Amino acid sequence: MKTLLLGCDGQLGWQLQRSLAPHGEVLACTRRECDLADGDALRALLRRERPRVIVNAAAYTAVDKAESERDLAWAINAEAPAVMAEEAAALGALLVHYSTDYVFPGDKATPYVETDAVGPLNVYGQSKLAGEEAIRAQACRSLIFRTSWVFGARGHNFVKTILRLAAERESLNVVDDQIGSPTPAAMIATVTGVVLAMLGHGREMRAGEHRLYHLAARRPVSWCEFARSIVARAAETPGFALKLTPAEIHPLPSVDYPTPARRPGNSRLDCQRLEQDFGLRMPDWEPYLQRMLQLLAIKQRNGY
């Protein structure tokens, strides 16, 4: 059983290397080794390696920058998954792909379920939705996981940004009217491994079967609440020099923090379908945050 993992050097791909390893051979490709913007190179790689499972952890995720780099975002988030799905169908392979809460407009009063109407507000969300649709248009077997607010010890994310700012400033203003679930990359990777095992790496799925699941941690919060939790936990972790406390992080409405890309106000994802199909219960994100901070502190002490 050969699994091709794309984007292995990202914060999710890094964790997936560990969770996929027990399932057989994993061919892990970095973005440099396989540029998803180059469809011909991607197709050649798939035809050469002939994997039984394709896991796509690579994506264009610069939400604001995508507004001015639409073609690049589209090539990576929409056109590359189309190539993967077409080749997966030819190979009889399973395609595992990750999408986003940003496919929704964010105006619903309750968490979004998989069957809710989509309506992305920005180019990033539009490109990710196009990727989903391109996969479903092919006759491959596919698993698509929509997730939200991903964080981990590797790569760039909101947690690391808040830690940097908390070491530099004596107060912060953070958006408080966008609600979602911070979701650890390690948790996504673990759930992916469990689902693959339970589905026999796709062998128990019908030919051409597409499954869509929401995958996010329990206990949604606002960005402001998340920032306060980051600083509170960092203050309890030896190794962080902070200039502020959670009390110095102040709520800010989105209208007072304009960005090139509009964000949905409600990014909450209902994960009941995933939990019921596989007997799972999504965990709280905070223990993962504490572990991440401990790892970052160790890296700081060791100088790397």
Side-chain angles (χ1 to χ4, degrees):
M1 179 70 66
K2 179 191 287 187
T3 297
L4 175 64
L5 172 60
L6 299 164
C8 70
D9 49 344
Q11 60 181 347
L12 175 56
W14 185 255
Q15 296 290 343
L16 281 165
Q17 290 188 70
R18 303 177 185 182
S19 64
L20 296 174
H23 300 281
E25 179 188 359
V26 178
L27 176 61
C29 291
T30 66
R31 290 175 174 86
R32 182 176 298 177
E33 292 167 333
C34 182
D35 179 5
L36 264 62
D38 186 341
D40 290 339
L42 173 61
R43 193 181 300 276
L45 172 68
L46 292 167
R47 292 182 177 182
R48 181 175 69 250
E49 297 298 337
R50 304 184 61 81
R52 298 303 300 166
V53 180
I54 304 164
V55 180
N56 179 29
Y60 183 106
T61 57
V63 177
D64 287 321
K65 202 172 181 181
E67 296 296 308
S68 59
E69 292 187 342
R70 185 185 187 280
D71 289 348
L72 181 58
W74 218 264
I76 295 173
N77 291 344
E79 294 168 11
V83 171
M84 295 178 207
E86 183 179 344
E87 294 302 318
L91 292 167
L94 170 68
L95 173 58
V96 182
H97 180 73
Y98 300 91
S99 191
T100 174
D101 54 296
Y102 279 22
V103 300
F104 295 112
D107 54 2
K108 187 183 177 184
T110 56
Y112 282 95
V113 298
E114 288 84 351
T115 54
D116 280 329
V118 294
L121 302 177
N122 53 53
V123 169
Y124 166 71
Q126 293 162 6
S127 68
K128 292 296 288 183
L129 177 59
E132 290 186 17
E133 293 170 342
I135 291 170
R136 286 191 286 268
Q138 295 294 331
C140 66
R141 289 169 293 139
S142 72
L143 281 171
I144 298 176
F145 294 107
R146 287 182 184 145
T147 189
S148 64
W149 299 17
V150 181
F151 70 91
R154 187 177 180 86
H156 301 289
N157 51 61
F158 183 77
V159 176
K160 291 185 176 180
T161 297
I162 292 299
L163 291 173
R164 175 178 57 80
L165 293 174
E168 297 172 353
R169 303 183 186 180
E170 296 181 354
S171 69
L172 285 176
N173 297 321
V174 181
V175 169
D176 197 41
D177 56 2
Q178 296 173 19
I179 311 298
S181 292
T183 304
M187 173 196 140
I188 299 171
T190 298
V191 171
T192 299
V194 170
V195 171
L196 282 175
M198 294 183 73
L199 289 175
H201 303 88
R203 289 189 297 267
E204 296 182 11
M205 295 174 64
R206 301 185 308 275
E209 181 180 357
H210 301 290
R211 292 199 186 192
L212 172 64
Y213 292 108
H214 287 175
L215 197 178
R218 193 169 294 275
R219 193 164 61 86
V221 291
S222 72
W223 287 116
C224 185
E225 292 171 313
F226 188 30
R228 288 170 175 164
S229 294
I230 294 165
V231 171
R233 299 289 81 79
E236 299 169 351
T237 306
F240 291 101
L242 308 176
K243 289 187 177 181
L244 53 74
T245 68
E248 279 82 57
I249 300 177
H250 308 292
L252 183 74
S254 297
V255 68
D256 291 339
Y257 188 73
T259 56
R262 293 175 59 201
R263 266 76 166 174
N266 175 23
S267 282
R268 293 175 294 164
L269 298 176
D270 186 314
C271 302
Q272 289 188 66
R273 175 187 285 184
L274 177 63
E275 293 180 325
Q276 291 171 0
D277 280 5
F278 298 99
L280 301 172
R281 179 175 172 81
M282 297 300 102
D284 192 290
W285 48 265
E286 195 151 13
Y288 287 88
L289 172 62
Q290 293 174 316
R291 177 57 178 159
M292 173 183 170
L293 293 172
Q294 292 167 355
L295 290 173
L296 291 177
I298 291 172
K299 287 184 177 181
Q300 286 187 160
R301 286 198 299 270
N302 292 335
Y304 62 89

